[in-house]
């Protein structure tokens, strides 16, 4: 008997050939990535255990599982099911099937950037195809049974926008928020048919354009009640006891930098103590991982000092402790900001030594650059360069360039995102972003070309998503940002596809070929759309290139550091 079945969105359990950036593949439209290519690049799913449970599960689902156990639900009543073996668990006595998702209907920023580019209202990215397939399977297994369907995880907000999908997907409950301290109570109370109004609220939290938090009543949604606080306290966050997909473990929550487009900044900072991180890491190492993927939204804010000066001692202790665990051969953080390598090259050098970074062991990190424009950076994210200040310590572009220089010098490879469609954005701002990408794409560090990827994201206003008006409205200057980004990505793909591909020789050759050819084809597709929309592609190719020796002067600054 399994009262509670937890299962993950299929896109979160495949290995995507362990190729950098390929985890974004489900965001691509099914109309442009043929099924066989998608299925090959998606790689293999995390394995199933003999009873049909998932050997590895997304980190958030592991947190929910331990929260349920800690709050009195018996382990035999919970199954973290592998999606291929759901029939082993969804039975007549199942009370709730809970599904964890990040981007169920393809409204995430990467997916939106493809809609904006390719146009069309059909909204059929692979992520949505996979979601529909999974829910159809679950709903078929629920027919004639009492099991209710609950959706949770960071992607729940999408049902607040496309709420007619709630009925279509036959969803009974949607839970929004962090549930570490209440997960068990939630499942128990739903089963008993009575939610404690102090602990739970019927409705969801939403935000206005200036990120003011608003409660919206809706009986189909459940969020944290006013009696327990908006977020769990650090001491109420449990330690996972079973391994996670891709060996991910969390080191902190929250950020606080205050970028005006980011919800994470509203969450309180909670730093996991080292012994808690080690306990979770050991769970993954015992399951066979030999690397540690440290999740935070801003690693350089870990126990930061005043004015977001990095706490070098704490970061060195964190990296050293992680790398000292028996079996760990490499580590990387998920996110970090670019001003820290710009201002603290010696810290990056030290962390690289600890992490044994080299030309064959790059430390990957996602970095939100968002723009190349001083004006927009100051307007939307004035604290993102702290402790450096734009204008005082150089232009935003100079800070970014120095950051990439130092990252690359010590074998860190940033995966950038840039935005188009930000509020009050002008064509000039977008061309500044183009200039930054072109300059970086043509820069070198110690004789090596700059190593980075850059993914353009489109800020789709929610009103247009609600109205299902997601047709392309990219202006030529926005398309110039896409053009410069995909031109650089094609260059990176042809340069690195072979050395970054993993697996047996057949898989390695297949992955490498598809990535290098696919990168070129994607660039050609962007070029065709951009030309059709009136972009002068010669201008986009050359914009910002250093006829004026600007790059050389930046290089001299970097060398002098
Ligand atoms: S630095 Fe990153 S996580 Fe922090 S507020 Fe800005 S965008 Fe959000």
């Amino acid at each position: 008997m399994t009262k509670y079945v937890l299962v993950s969105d299929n896109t979160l359990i495949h290995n995507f050939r362990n190729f950098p950036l390929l985890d974004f593949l489900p965001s691509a439209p099914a109309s442009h990535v043929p099924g066989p290519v998608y299925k090959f690049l998606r790689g293999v799913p995390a394995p199933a255990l003999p009873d049909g449970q998932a050997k590895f599960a997304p980190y958030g689902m592991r947190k929910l599982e331990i929260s349920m156990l800690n709050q009195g639900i018996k382990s035999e009543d919970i199954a973290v099911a592998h999606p291929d073996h759901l029939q082993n668990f969804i039975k007549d006595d199942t009370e709730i099937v809970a599904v964890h998702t990040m981007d169920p209907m393809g409204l995430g920023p990467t997916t939106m950037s493809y809609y904006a580019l390719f146009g069309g209202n059909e909204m059929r990215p692979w992520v949505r195809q996979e979601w529909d397939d999974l829910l159809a399977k679950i709903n078929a297994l629920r027919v004639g049974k009492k099991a209710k369907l609950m959706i949770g995880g960071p992607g729940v907000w999408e049902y607040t926008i496309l709420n007619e999908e709630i009925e279509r997907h036959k969803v009974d409950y949607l839970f929004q928020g962090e549930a570490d301290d209440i997960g068990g109570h939630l499942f128990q109370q739903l089963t008993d048919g009575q939610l404690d109004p102090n602990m739970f609220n019927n409705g969801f939290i939403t935000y206005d354009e200036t990120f003011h938090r608003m409660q919206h009543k809706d009986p189909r949604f459940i969020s944290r009640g006013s009696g327990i606080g908006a977020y769990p306290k650090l001491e109420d966050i449990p330690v996972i006891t079973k391994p996670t997909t891709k060996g991910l473990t969390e080191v902190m929550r929250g950020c606080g930098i205050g970028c005006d487009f980011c919800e994470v900044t509203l969450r309180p900072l909670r730093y996991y103590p080292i012994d808690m991180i080690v306990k979770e890491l050991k769970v993954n190492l015992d399951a066979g991982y030999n690397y540690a993927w440290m999740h935070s939204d801003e690693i350089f804010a870990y126990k930061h000092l005043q004015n977001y000066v990095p706490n070098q001692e704490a970061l060195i202790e964190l990296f050293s402790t992680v790398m000292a665990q028996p079996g760990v051969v490499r580590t990387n953080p998920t996110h970090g900001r670019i001003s820290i390598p710009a201002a603290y090259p010696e810290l990056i050098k030290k962390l690289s030594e600890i992490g044994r970074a080299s030309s064959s062991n790059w430390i990957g990190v996602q970095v939100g650059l968002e723009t190349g424009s001083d004006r927009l950076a100051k307007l939307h994210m004035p604290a993102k360069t702290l402790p450096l200040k734009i204008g005082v310590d150089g232009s935003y572009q100079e800070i970014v360039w120095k950051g990439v220089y130092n990252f690359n010098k010590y074998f860190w490879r940033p995966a950038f995102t840039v935005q188009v469609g930000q509020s009050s954005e002008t064509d000039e701002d977008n061309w500044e972003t183009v200039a930054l990408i072109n300059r970086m794409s043509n820069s070198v560090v110690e004789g090596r070309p700059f190593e980075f990827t850059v993914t353009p994201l489109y800020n789709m206003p929610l009103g247009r998503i609600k109205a299902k008006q997601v047709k392309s409205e990219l202006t030529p200057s926005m398309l110039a940002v896409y053009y410069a980004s995909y031109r650089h990505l094609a260059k990176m793909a042809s340069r690195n596809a072979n050395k970054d591909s993993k697996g047996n020789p057949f898989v390695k050759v297949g992955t490498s070929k598809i990535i290098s050819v696919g990168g070129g084809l994607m660039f050609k597709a962007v070029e065709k759309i951009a030309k059709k929309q009136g972009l002068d592609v010669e201008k986009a190719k050359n914009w910002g290139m250093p006829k004026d020796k600007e790059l050389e002067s930046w290089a001299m600054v970097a060398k002098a550091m």
Side-chain angles (χ1 to χ4, degrees):
M1 143 164 179
T2 307
K3 279 171 89 170
Y4 305 116
V5 180
L6 313 185
V7 64
S8 151
D9 180 333
N10 221 10
T11 60
L12 302 177
I13 62 157
H14 282 75
N15 72 353
F16 293 94
R17 302 284 171 203
N18 293 314
F19 193 91
L21 284 191
L22 215 48
D23 302 70
F24 289 136
L25 182 69
S27 298
S31 54
H32 287 69
V33 179
V37 172
Y38 173 74
K39 283 179 184 146
F40 176 79
L41 290 179
R42 186 178 64 170
V44 291
L49 294 169
D51 65 353
Q53 294 207 51
K55 179 170 180 187
F56 305 111
Y59 185 82
M61 226 165 79
R62 288 298 189 208
K63 282 291 199 206
L64 175 62
E65 178 187 22
I66 190 66
S67 153
M68 292 168 75
L69 291 167
N70 286 354
Q71 287 153 37
I73 297 181
K74 290 190 239 143
S75 67
E76 58 268 31
D77 287 343
I78 306 171
V80 174
H82 192 285
D84 292 344
H85 299 278
L86 280 166
Q87 67 283 0
N88 294 8
F89 304 103
I90 301 177
K91 303 280 188 192
D92 288 338
D93 46 16
T94 299
E95 299 283 353
I96 298 172
V97 181
V99 197
H100 174 90
T101 181
M102 292 273 288
D103 185 17
M105 283 165 295
L107 305 188
T110 319
T111 321
M112 277 294 134
S113 76
Y114 288 116
Y115 288 143
L117 181 66
F118 293 115
N121 281 337
E122 73 256 50
M123 313 254 276
R124 297 307 300 177
W126 274 108
V127 73
R128 179 146 192 187
Q129 185 68 48
E130 295 254 29
W131 183 247
D132 280 350
D133 291 350
L134 177 64
L135 290 201
K137 188 172 174 183
I138 291 171
N139 283 329
L141 288 166
R142 285 201 303 145
V143 170
K145 303 185 179 80
K146 65 180 176 183
K148 303 282 192 197
L149 176 60
M150 175 155 67
I151 310 295
V156 160
W157 72 271
E158 296 185 2
Y159 280 97
T160 71
I161 305 295
L162 299 181
N163 47 37
E164 71 277 10
E165 297 296 308
I166 298 173
E167 270 63 58
R168 198 174 75 79
H169 285 145
K170 300 185 171 63
V171 179
D172 297 288
Y173 318 113
L174 297 116
F175 179 79
Q176 180 199 43
E178 296 179 21
D180 307 79
D181 51 343
I182 50 170
H185 302 305
L186 173 66
F187 281 77
Q188 195 58 60
Q189 290 179 23
L190 284 173
T191 306
D192 296 343
Q194 184 66 52
L195 286 179
D196 174 353
N198 195 44
M199 201 176 272
F200 297 105
N201 173 43
N202 268 124
F204 58 86
I205 306 296
T206 186
Y207 302 91
D208 66 14
E209 312 81 61
T210 48
F211 269 99
H212 288 120
R213 208 179 139 89
M214 297 180 298
Q215 288 238 329
H216 192 97
K217 286 268 169 222
D218 187 324
R220 297 165 299 182
F221 286 82
I222 304 166
S223 49
R224 297 175 66 89
S226 53
I228 57 166
Y231 300 93
K233 297 189 191 78
L234 177 65
E235 56 271 27
D236 294 328
I237 298 177
V239 173
I240 59 162
T241 53
K242 291 191 183 159
T244 63
T245 317
K246 296 210 167 191
L248 188 102
T249 45
E250 197 168 41
V251 300
M252 61 183 277
R253 289 189 194 172
C255 167
I257 292 277
C259 305
D260 71 3
F261 48 83
C262 179
E263 182 268 334
V264 171
T265 200
L266 304 176
R267 301 180 204 163
L269 275 162
R270 287 152 292 171
Y271 307 118
Y272 283 20
I274 290 285
D275 64 329
M276 184 171 171
I277 295 166
V278 168
K279 275 185 200 156
E280 296 205 334
L281 178 55
K282 279 187 170 155
V283 169
N284 282 332
L285 296 174
D286 289 346
Y289 286 107
N290 64 2
Y291 59 88
W293 205 18
M294 291 188 278
H295 177 64
S296 73
D297 287 294
E298 174 40 58
I299 191 69
F300 299 119
Y302 182 70
K303 298 186 180 176
H304 70 83
L305 309 177
Q306 207 176 4
N307 214 22
Y308 278 86
V309 167
N311 185 334
Q312 302 198 39
E313 210 176 300
L315 286 165
I316 288 168
E317 185 193 12
L318 174 63
F319 275 66
S320 303
T321 309
V322 163
M323 287 303 292
Q325 299 311 306
V328 176
V329 296
R330 63 193 169 91
T331 185
N332 70 280
T334 51
H335 298 91
R337 68 194 198 282
I338 198 68
S339 57
I340 302 306
Y344 298 90
E346 287 305 312
L347 170 64
I348 299 302
K349 183 179 179 206
K350 181 75 188 159
L351 297 179
S352 295
E353 285 164 4
I354 296 166
R356 295 172 221 148
S358 70
S359 59
S360 55
N361 183 22
W362 288 80
I363 296 177
V365 61
Q366 285 189 42
V367 181
L369 278 194
E370 322 307 0
T371 183
S373 153
D374 265 30
R375 192 187 72 83
L376 278 190
K378 282 190 209 155
L379 183 67
H380 294 304
M381 47 186 204
K384 201 163 189 170
T385 55
L386 282 177
L388 300 181
K389 287 204 174 74
I390 301 167
V392 176
D393 299 297
S395 68
Y396 181 64
Q397 291 203 16
E398 284 171 322
I399 292 170
V400 170
W401 194 91
K402 283 182 214 167
V404 189
Y405 183 96
N406 290 326
F407 260 162
N408 280 184
K409 183 172 176 183
Y410 301 114
F411 303 106
W412 289 55
R413 182 191 283 152
F416 293 129
T417 49
V418 289
Q419 299 187 35
V420 297
Q422 299 187 68
S423 75
S424 84
E425 172 187 287
T426 63
D427 289 340
E428 286 70 33
D429 294 320
N430 286 332
W431 283 106
E432 284 298 306
T433 306
V434 173
L436 176 59
I437 295 168
N438 284 345
R439 286 166 184 161
M440 294 193 299
S441 185
N442 289 284
S443 292
V444 291
V445 47
E446 299 190 337
R448 296 182 266 123
F450 269 24
E451 285 276 332
F452 68 96
T453 59
V454 54
T455 306
L457 304 177
Y458 180 62
N459 270 318
M460 180 80 71
L462 291 183
R464 280 187 37 211
I465 299 174
K466 275 185 194 167
K468 299 208 176 69
Q469 289 169 353
V470 293
K471 251 189 158 27
S472 170
E473 281 187 10
L474 294 177
T475 62
S477 73
M478 291 173 174
L479 280 161
V481 174
Y482 273 69
Y483 183 85
S485 302
Y486 281 100
R487 186 164 173 251
H488 177 73
L489 283 171
K491 189 167 155 185
M492 285 285 288
S494 78
R495 191 161 78 210
N496 294 342
N498 188 38
K499 66 176 190 249
D500 284 346
S501 296
K502 296 170 187 77
N504 66 44
F506 171 74
V507 168
K508 194 172 155 67
V509 169
T511 308
S512 156
K513 268 270 170 276
I514 294 174
I515 298 284
S516 58
V517 172
L521 287 176
M522 181 66 190
F523 170 56
K524 287 289 162 209
V526 172
E527 187 172 59
K528 195 171 160 196
I529 293 166
K531 278 182 176 167
K532 206 168 149 195
Q533 301 288 330
L535 175 70
D536 176 349
V537 294
E538 288 308 312
K539 176 180 169 185
K541 269 183 201 165
N542 298 311
W543 193 254
M545 289 307 295
K547 291 189 194 78
D548 52 1
K549 305 268 181 207
E550 198 174 356
L551 270 189
E552 283 175 32
S553 70
W554 287 1
M556 284 172 68
V557 172
K559 273 183 196 145
M561 288 191 307

